[in-house]
Each structure stands twice: as C-alpha cells, then as structure tokens.
Amino acid sequence: MAIELLDHQTIIDYLGAQAGKLRSVDGAAGLASASSNIKQPPVAFVVPLNDRASANATGTMVTRQNNTTRFAVIVAVQNLRDPRGDRARDDLRILRQDIMALLHGWTPNEAFDPIQYSGGRMLKLTNQVLWWQDEFSTSHIIRSI
C-alpha cells in the first residue's frame, strides 16, 4: 500500500525561495512562538488545516478515495502606530497577491492536483502586527493496492 500525504515543508520551501518580500516562511511550530513575540515582519506560516476523503469509489476489495487537503498561509505584516491599519493593509495586499500568484495552480508534486484558493480572513490587528489567514486546498487519490 502506497499512501502519500501532503508534505507541508515542500510548500514552506517553495514560498521561502520565491516570495522575496517575506523575511521568513515557517510552519506551525514557528507560528506558535511568533504569535506572542514576532521579531521581523513580514513573515508567513504554512499550517495544515484538515484532510477530507471521499467514500470508496470502487466497491471492491481495492479502496480508492479522493482526498482533499486544506492548509493555511498565515501572514503577519508590521502595523506601527496605525490604529486603522491602512499601511499594513496595503503591505498585506501586495504580499497576498504574491503568495496567491505562486500557489494558485502550482502542484506540490505529480501526485497532487493544482492548488486552489479557498478564502481568507483577518485574524488579528494590534498596534504592531496585522495577522491574515488565506486558505488553500489540493487533492489527490489514495488507494490500496
């Protein structure tokens, strides 16, 4: 049985190498420490959200399912002394466009379908940082042999 799940490090490495305006790209562990003490924005974090598999499509002893994997890219941009976040909003828009241009339609490897954008939302606005989460998905077939 060969089952392959999405390696989020592939996405972290890809964004880190391509998104020049970001100071760093990290995973969920980095987000945990940065949320309380972010040092140098703008930064991004790739965080797994969930997997959702369809029912078995074969009805035989072989199992074949479509698995959709969702992940988030959480971006933090600097927001200094701007209660409305106007400057941070402009910086965020540019970063989000860059990240979407890189991820939308990209395939992490040949087993996965092209990545799709699923939506986004503001997480938090403080006197220092604007946090935003964009969600993406990709799918692939998992099967028993």
Side-chain angles (χ1 to χ4, degrees), residues 3-134:
I3 296 191
E4 182 173 358
L5 298 176
L6 182 63
D7 180 1
H8 293 89
Q9 188 63 46
T10 303
I11 299 166
I12 293 166
D13 293 344
Y14 178 67
L15 283 179
Q18 302 294 323
K21 293 179 182 81
L22 292 170
R23 297 221 169 130
S24 69
V25 180
D26 205 347
L31 175 63
S33 63
S35 61
S36 62
N37 185 22
I38 191 161
K39 301 233 185 292
Q40 292 196 328
V43 295
F45 303 90
V46 177
V47 179
L49 294 178
N50 66 20
D51 285 356
R52 186 164 306 248
S54 66
N56 181 17
T58 65
T60 65
M61 295 301 290
V62 175
T63 302
R64 181 181 184 278
Q65 297 176 274
N66 187 48
N67 184 48
T68 300
T69 299
R70 292 179 55 242
F71 64 93
V73 177
I74 298 172
V75 177
V77 295
Q78 197 165 30
N79 181 54
L80 296 178
R81 298 174 299 282
D82 183 3
R84 293 186 338 180
D86 292 335
R87 173 62 191 234
R89 185 184 62 235
D90 292 342
D91 293 343
L92 175 67
R93 181 181 49 79
I94 292 166
L95 282 171
R96 289 182 63 218
Q97 287 174 175
D98 290 349
I99 291 168
M100 280 187 204
L102 289 169
L103 291 180
H104 194 261
W106 178 68
T107 54
N109 69 41
E110 65 281 348
F112 290 86
D113 292 335
I115 290 174
Q116 299 177 35
Y117 175 67
S118 302
R121 66 188 175 104
M122 186 172 75
L123 296 176
K124 186 175 173 181
L125 174 64
T126 69
N127 286 334
Q128 296 179 346
V129 180
L130 169 61
W131 292 89
W132 183 273
Q133 175 175 311
D134 279 318

